Amino acid sequence: MFRRVLVGYDGSEAAGKALLAALDLAGRYRADLVAVAVVRPPEFAELQGEVDAALAQARGPLAESFRWAREQARKVGVPLTLRTEVGHPAEVLVRVAREEGFDLIVLGRRGLTPVQRWMLGSVSERVLRYAHCPVMVVH
């Protein structure tokens, strides 16, 4: 049923739960699994150097999270591809899923309050709204 699974992965606890669910599904369906971490550029970045600096700053913590993700994948014997993109997380995940033919997106839910959701926006809600394929949100 699922041939290509994309999981949004930022190293958070919620993303870790989503990764574990995606590993289970990918193993059951023998699907390709790709975890995508999206780094947001500074709001008012005017120079490419500012974007590059934000990406470089995020790579340290992501490297540790990627090690954990690789270890989890190794434990269950599921090949996992990890990659980093730059942009708004919801937009990037929806675009990558559509352009690269993924047929399932798996995300973790951070559990924002209604006010936080209104102020910050919810990546999972935006992906649910705009994705071309099924979306699984893991609580």
Side-chain angles (χ1 to χ4, degrees):
M1 181 171 187
F2 299 115
R3 293 173 289 114
R4 301 202 68 208
V5 177
L6 182 152
V7 59
Y9 185 71
D10 63 4
S12 67
E13 183 179 341
K17 291 178 182 177
L19 178 72
L20 295 176
L23 284 167
D24 182 61
L25 284 169
R28 291 174 191 266
Y29 291 103
R30 297 182 184 173
D32 293 335
L33 179 59
V34 177
V36 177
V38 183
V39 176
R40 283 187 91 142
E43 286 292 326
F44 301 105
E46 295 180 16
L47 303 172
Q48 182 61 39
E50 293 173 321
V51 174
D52 293 342
L55 186 58
Q57 188 176 13
R59 284 207 167 115
L62 280 175
E64 181 62 32
S65 298
F66 280 9
R67 271 192 287 278
W68 180 84
R70 283 189 192 96
E71 178 65 21
Q72 300 310 306
R74 188 192 58 74
K75 285 180 184 176
V76 295
V78 173
L80 171 66
T81 301
L82 292 154
R83 59 194 252 200
T84 305
E85 300 282 337
V86 175
H88 185 281
E91 292 174 12
V92 170
L93 294 172
V94 167
R95 178 183 50 77
V96 168
R98 184 182 53 249
E99 289 178 358
E100 299 182 20
F102 286 91
D103 47 21
L104 176 67
I105 301 172
V106 181
L107 302 169
R109 183 168 182 202
R110 292 185 294 171
L112 299 177
T113 65
V115 173
Q116 290 172 319
R117 236 185 345 261
W118 183 77
M119 295 288 288
L120 302 172
S122 166
V123 170
S124 57
E125 287 179 9
R126 289 183 183 167
V127 171
L128 279 165
R129 184 170 300 158
Y130 297 107
H132 75 287
C133 62
V135 177
M136 173 188 276
V137 179
V138 178
H139 288 260

